[in-house]
Amino acid sequence: MDYIIYTLPNEPCPVSFLEMFGNDQPVEVEIGCGKGRFLLEQARAHQDRNYVGIEWANKYFRFAADRMARWGLANVRIIRTDAKLFITRYAPPDSLAALHIHHPDPWPKKRHHKRRLIDPAFVEAVGRVLQDGAACSIQTDSADYFEVIEKLFADRAEFQSSVRVIQSGQTGDGLVPTNYQVKYQRDGRTFYRLVFIRVPRSSQPSALGS
Ligand SMILES: C[S@@+](CC[C@H](N)C(=O)[O-])C[C@H]1O[C@@H](n2cnc3c(N)ncnc32)[C@H](O)[C@@H]1O
């Protein structure tokens, strides 16, 4: 169990994934991994990649960590922290091969919108930590949050939209469904799925001086 849980230093500084895993395999992060179902299935299917789950709710963190320990995979870790803090202060620049966000809390009331994970500072930080060509995949069941997220990414030159799917029932994307996805599929909810690709730094307009 010990190796599954990674504890961040109190003072924010870039983490070393090489030290975390003992190898330099590509690293994928899932934010709000909940009970860990998606992360573990991905880790088992792709043992040549490393997977880090970020979860701040102690109940889910404990559940996912226990499950991860039982599965005994070498390429998965979980960190209990605020994902916004992790992405903005701990993840090194140009370090992630993929970022997955499934059903981020939508905070539907207007006065709670400031609690949302995905805001301009977060999106800017995602552009900094993703490697060239890496994908940020987001799935939500909130039409309102979906529109906000889409605009935040569209406003930044670092990203190119590659997937935009609005679908009821099964998402049919071939990926392992998350716990919330399974629950919401039963309720017949609509899913909004977006994938943004990190544009190679060398081809960004500012890098060309134009
Ligand atoms: C609606 S649940 C979705 C869980 C899982 N992704 C799924 O699809 O089954 C949102 C999850 O994100 C976690 N979460 C929300 N905000 C977070 C943050 N800022 N940092 C880390 N985890 C967060 C919550 O504790 C919860 O487990």
Side-chain angles (χ1 to χ4, degrees), residues 30-38 54-58 60-61 79 81-85 101-107 115-117 139 141 177-182 184:
E30 185 188 14
I31 286 178
C33 64
K35 294 180 176 177
R37 174 185 177 144
F38 172 85
I54 309 292
E55 178 53 61
W56 72 2
N58 193 37
Y60 291 126
F61 167 77
I79 302 174
T81 191
D82 170 19
K84 199 175 275 185
L85 185 67
I101 309 173
H102 303 108
H103 301 283
D105 293 333
W107 296 107
R115 299 184 190 173
R116 285 175 167 174
L117 169 75
Q139 180 166 292
D141 52 290
T178 68
N179 283 89
Y180 270 72
Q181 184 174 330
V182 170
Y184 292 159

Side-chain angles (χ1 to χ4, degrees), residues 132 157-158 198-210:
D132 290 354
E158 304 97 298
R198 188 15 167 136
V199 171
R201 286 154 175 83
S202 58
S203 61
Q204 261 181 251
S206 60
L208 298 173
S210 56

